[in-house]
């Protein structure tokens, strides 16, 4: 059984506070949009898919608690649209929340135009739309796991593979199962996974705190390494492939992901190791042509200079703390793994456009 980052039933949303892991497992109630925004911004919940799900469900919970307080369709429409814009501002690099806001916003505008629609029926439609995200994300993640595992096994022609991963892309970053870590789960379930190496992922240690926690919980054979050990691990430990997630993949395949991903891709190419990005369609932004157009979030300096509230860096030192970097598409040598299959970066835009046309 996978860990749950999100617990939801109509009218109730709880998130596992990931800042406290692995020392403490504490679920916190999210009762409205402001609390959802604060949880996302503080990184109590993180991972692009989970951010979008928690954002939209926080809106659903607030709407449910308000009952029929909004007496007109137009007032409810305005509230929903303003709430979505606010949620997007919490962590702008991760595209899933922005995409969900755009799609839900369009849905709300269309529904609000219906002559027979009441505020109550519009509220029900928004809540149901947000709830459907949970089921879809889990289904998509399982498809990503299957596609990625089978593609790697066919590519390398090995019965047992050794995989390296970065940051956290598992159940804690999604509705369940995970993206890159979902592929690792699939390989393990198939009996083809020999070992996983996970990076600590400084400065927030998502690898050491979260990925290691998930791997131990599910008894998947794994070893934690420092970020600076990645190259020598590739060389000495016979790594078969690198799998990472994505916060935003643009039209040419350039990928924004947790800072440190770019250097892993460079090292993988040097060692002739296939480098994969695992990303659902909701993490792909075809409106941007290349990675230089992605806005990169910068985090507070204390996340780098302090550990558990204790300063470890010299006073007076300057700090640059981008949360993400952009990996150029030509370094993604294994492919981009989506719920529709595995594609070379040059194939991604056409593949997703075709998939969208068939929905």
């Amino acid at each position: 059984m996978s860990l749950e980052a999100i617990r939801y039933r109509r009218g109730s949303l709880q998130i596992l506070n990931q800042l406290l892991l692995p020392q403490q497992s504490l679920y916190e109630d999210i009762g409205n949009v402001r609390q959802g925004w604060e949880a996302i911004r503080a990184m109590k919940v993180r991972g692009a898919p989970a951010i979008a799900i928690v954002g939209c469900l926080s809106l659903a919970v607030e709407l449910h608690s308000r009952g029929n307080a909004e007496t007109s369709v137009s007032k409810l429409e305005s509230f929903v649209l303003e709430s979505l814009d606010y949620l997007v501002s919490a962590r702008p690099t991760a595209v899933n929340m922005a995409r969900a806001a755009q799609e839900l916003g369009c849905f709300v505008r269309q529904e609000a135009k219906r002559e027979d629609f009441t505020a109550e029926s519009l509220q029900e439609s928004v809540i149901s739309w947000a709830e459907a995200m949970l089921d879809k994300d889990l289904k998509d993640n399982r498809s990503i796991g299957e596609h990625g595992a089978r593609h790697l096994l066919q590519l390398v022609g090995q019965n047992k593979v050794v995989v390296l991963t970065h940051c956290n892309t598992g159940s804690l970053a999604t509705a369940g199962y995970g993206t890159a870590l979902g592929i690792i789960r699939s390989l393990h379930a198939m009996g083809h996974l020999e070992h996983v190496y996970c990076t600590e992922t400084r400065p927030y240690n998502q690898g050491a705190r979260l990925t290691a926690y998930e791997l131990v919980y599910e008894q998947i054979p794994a070893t934690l390494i420092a970020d600076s050990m990645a190259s020598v691990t590739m060389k000495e430990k016979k790594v078969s492939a690198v799998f990472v997630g994505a916060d935003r993949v643009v039209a040419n395949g350039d990928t924004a992901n947790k800072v440190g991903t770019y250097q892993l891709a460079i090292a993988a190419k040097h060692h002739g190791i296939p480098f994969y990005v695992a990303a659902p369609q909701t993490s792909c932004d075809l409106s941007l042509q290349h990675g230089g157009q992605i806005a990169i979030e910068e985090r507070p300096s204390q996340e780098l200079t302090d550990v558990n509230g204790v300063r470890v860096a010299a006073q007076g030192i300057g700090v640059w703390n981008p949360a993400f970097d952009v990996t150029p598409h030509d370094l993604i040598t294994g492919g981009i793994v989506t719920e529709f299959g595995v594609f070379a970066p040059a194939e991604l835009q056409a593949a997703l456009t075709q998939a969208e046309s068939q929905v």
Side-chain angles (χ1 to χ4, degrees):
M1 180 178 176
S2 296
L3 293 163
E4 289 182 295
I6 302 165
R7 289 179 175 175
Y8 174 81
R9 58 179 172 80
R10 182 160 291 202
S12 173
L13 173 63
Q14 293 183 318
I15 62 162
L16 182 61
N17 185 343
Q18 297 183 30
L19 297 177
L20 304 178
L21 292 174
Q23 286 81 14
Q24 184 179 1
S25 296
L26 176 67
Y27 284 90
E28 296 187 3
D29 291 315
I30 303 294
N32 54 50
V33 168
R34 174 168 287 279
Q35 290 177 354
W37 187 96
E38 290 172 349
I40 293 167
R41 182 62 187 172
M43 293 177 66
K44 291 180 179 179
V45 61
R46 24 71 49 211
I51 286 171
I53 293 167
V54 168
C56 291
L57 288 179
S58 73
L59 173 59
V61 168
E62 181 163 351
L63 288 175
H64 185 272
S65 67
R66 291 162 68 104
N68 296 320
E70 295 292 346
T71 57
S72 72
V73 170
S74 62
K75 285 183 179 180
L76 181 57
E77 178 186 5
S78 296
F79 172 74
V80 170
L81 296 177
E82 289 170 4
S83 296
L84 291 171
D85 285 343
Y86 176 60
L87 287 163
V88 170
S89 71
R91 297 200 68 198
T93 300
V95 73
N96 299 55
M97 185 64 240
R99 181 166 181 160
Q102 181 183 27
E103 292 177 358
L104 180 52
C106 289
F107 173 76
V108 168
R109 292 186 186 95
Q110 291 173 352
E111 296 288 280
K113 292 177 182 177
R114 291 171 53 176
E115 293 183 4
D116 60 336
F117 240 48
T118 64
E120 183 178 1
S121 55
L122 180 58
Q123 176 178 294
E124 173 62 27
S125 292
V126 173
I127 293 173
S128 296
W129 193 99
E131 290 173 344
M133 292 181 68
L134 269 172
D135 293 334
K136 184 179 186 303
D137 188 66
L138 182 56
K139 180 181 177 182
D140 289 348
N141 289 343
R142 291 189 179 278
S143 295
I144 288 170
E146 181 80 7
H147 289 310
R150 295 199 180 282
H151 190 277
L152 173 63
L153 293 172
Q154 184 176 6
L155 179 67
V156 300
Q158 299 170 0
N159 184 53
K160 294 281 189 176
V161 293
V162 177
V163 174
L164 189 149
T165 192
H166 185 57
C167 198
N168 175 257
T169 57
S171 296
L172 298 176
T174 63
Y177 204 71
T179 55
L181 198 53
I183 295 169
I184 291 168
R185 279 192 171 90
S186 293
L187 287 165
H188 181 61
M190 293 174 181
H192 293 300
L193 181 69
E194 181 176 329
H195 207 81
V196 183
Y197 290 91
C198 61
T199 61
E200 59 179 347
T201 320
R202 284 279 294 145
Y204 234 60
N205 292 313
Q206 293 98 323
R209 293 188 301 106
L210 307 179
T211 297
Y213 185 67
E214 290 198 50
L215 292 168
V216 170
Y217 182 87
E218 298 199 22
Q219 299 183 338
I220 295 174
T223 298
L224 177 68
I225 61 171
D227 294 352
S228 54
M229 298 175 185
S231 293
V232 71
T233 301
M234 292 180 194
K235 179 182 178 183
E236 300 293 338
K237 299 299 182 180
K238 299 180 180 178
V239 172
S240 309
V242 178
F243 283 102
V244 300
D247 287 84
R248 188 180 297 240
V249 183
V250 298
N252 72 342
D254 291 351
T255 297
N257 191 49
K258 179 55 55 186
V259 69
T261 302
Y262 181 21
Q263 63 197 29
L264 288 178
I266 293 171
K269 189 164 188 178
H270 174 78
H271 290 94
I273 296 170
F275 184 93
Y276 288 88
V277 168
Q281 182 186 25
T282 52
S283 295
C284 299
D285 182 4
L286 302 184
S287 70
L288 300 184
Q289 296 305 304
H290 58 81
Q293 297 172 297
I294 301 173
I296 300 297
E297 173 190 359
E298 293 194 21
R299 301 287 300 176
S301 62
Q302 290 82 2
E303 293 181 2
L304 188 58
T305 61
D306 297 17
V307 175
N308 292 330
V310 178
R311 189 174 181 95
V312 295
Q315 293 287 348
I317 189 67
V319 172
W320 182 46
N321 188 23
F324 308 95
D325 56 28
V326 176
T327 299
H329 60 273
D330 59 337
L331 295 178
I332 303 171
T333 54
I336 298 173
V337 189
T338 75
E339 64 269 38
F340 305 112
V342 183
F343 307 103
E347 301 170 338
L348 181 68
Q349 184 169 16
L352 292 185
T353 300
Q354 180 179 2
E356 287 179 354
S357 68
Q358 295 173 349
V359 173

